[in-house]
Amino acid sequence: MKTLDNGDKSQPHIKQFQSSHWFVELLFGVMGALVLTLIVAVSINDASANDKNDKSDKSGINGTSDKSGISDKNDKSGISDAALIQVGTADMSLLWLDIYSAKLFSIDGKYQANRFPMTLDIQYHRDIDAIDLVDATIEQWQHLGFTEANIALYRQQLVNAWPDVKEGDRLTFRVNNPEDAAFLLNDTPYYQVSNAQFPEAFLDIWLSEKTSRPELRNQLIGVN
């Protein structure tokens, strides 16, 4: 009888254990469902973010200009990247100091004096004040034998055209024709030239046979 009584007394404990076990399974089931829902939600958000980034990257590729110094969709000069081909490139240094890198572009990738359109692109490797750029340009014109009257005439164009440049800045001189030439700073239109003789005079600093840097000229015009 005692054994039977003990067996009867143990049955409530068994039922209570079974009830608790069912509750635990239910609890774990609910938690698992919540975790699964959270994982799915995070995955959807990540996929959506990646899709937006892909669209943004594509729009950036299609909508921005090449950093070669020739393209600017807002530019009104009429010269596009597709229209010009690089002729040559050269680096300017003084002793151990790197000053700038220059690139020349023409309609067919070949240089011919005073044939336009033409673009000279200069990327600076040092900070240089505008007044120093103006003075250096005037020195080069004096070396080329320009008259003081012409230098004085061109100087006003220089003062307006030359900005203070920082390391990494790019100054582009784009010439459609002698009457249509402009400076761009980091692909942004900066100054429209108002003197028809200025474009040739400015380009002569690098491209004239009398230039003070014949090796640099040869590299720019593609002569080995």
Side-chain angles (χ1 to χ4, degrees), residues 113-132:
N114 301 324
R115 184 185 62 168
F116 304 106
M118 188 183 299
T119 293
L120 178 68
D121 185 77
I122 304 173
Q123 182 167 26
Y124 290 90
H125 303 312
R126 303 182 62 82
D127 297 353
I128 306 177
D129 292 336
I131 187 61
D132 292 330

Side-chain angles (χ1 to χ4, degrees), residues 200-212:
E200 180 181 350
F202 186 76
L203 292 173
D204 274 351
I205 294 172
W206 292 270
L207 304 179
S208 171
E209 293 181 355
K210 299 179 181 179
T211 179
S212 64

